[in-house]
Amino acid sequence: FRICIQRLLIVVQLLMGEIPERSIFLETGMTRELAPYLSITQAVRRGDLAVFHDTVKDHTQRLVTDGTHTLISRLAHSVVKAGLRRLNTSYS
């Protein structure tokens, strides 16, 4: 139950534009279960759309099973926004 709630919390935080703390992914018993979500979080933080799509493609079956695939598919906009933010800061 705790893992299921943590998955949804991570996805909701990402959708709201927040980046979950890394310590959430490293808790005892969560590392293996949240590995796909850590990869997705890293792609969102970097703003790398190609890595995001590759990660989602690699873990599609797992995300569908978890019931978070449709929510994560909405994150592409956040990835683009993060990438544009990085570009903006690098050129200012």
Side-chain angles (χ1 to χ4, degrees), residues 6 10 20 28 34 43 49 54 58 60-61 74 77 81 90:
Q6 202 64 17
I10 290 167
T28 306
L34 297 179
L49 197 58
D54 289 343
D58 291 344
T60 299
Q61 188 59 40
R74 296 181 183 191
H77 175 72
K81 192 165 72 171
S90 66

Side-chain angles (χ1 to χ4, degrees), residues 1 9 14 18 21-22 39 48 52 76 82-83 86 91:
F1 177 74
L9 180 62
L14 289 171
E18 301 170 9
E21 293 182 24
R22 189 170 181 82
S39 302
D48 193 340
F52 174 77
R86 285 189 70 175
Y91 284 107

Side-chain angles (χ1 to χ4, degrees), residues 20-27:
E21 293 182 24
R22 189 170 181 82
S23 61
I24 293 170
F25 299 100
L26 301 177
E27 289 181 14

Side-chain angles (χ1 to χ4, degrees), residues 6-15 17-26 33-49 51-53 55-56 59 63 72 75-76 78-80 82-83 85-86:
Q6 202 64 17
R7 287 181 199 138
L8 291 173
L9 180 62
I10 290 167
V11 174
V12 168
Q13 283 180 323
L14 289 171
L15 286 170
E18 301 170 9
I19 302 296
E21 293 182 24
R22 189 170 181 82
S23 61
I24 293 170
F25 299 100
L26 301 177
E33 294 295 322
L34 297 179
Y37 298 93
L38 176 61
S39 302
I40 290 169
T41 301
Q42 290 171 341
V44 170
R45 185 172 25 88
R46 281 184 290 203
D48 193 340
L49 197 58
V51 171
F52 174 77
H53 284 303
T55 303
V56 172
H59 299 289
L63 298 173
I72 288 177
L75 282 175
S78 297
V79 176
V80 171
R85 195 176 309 125
R86 285 189 70 175

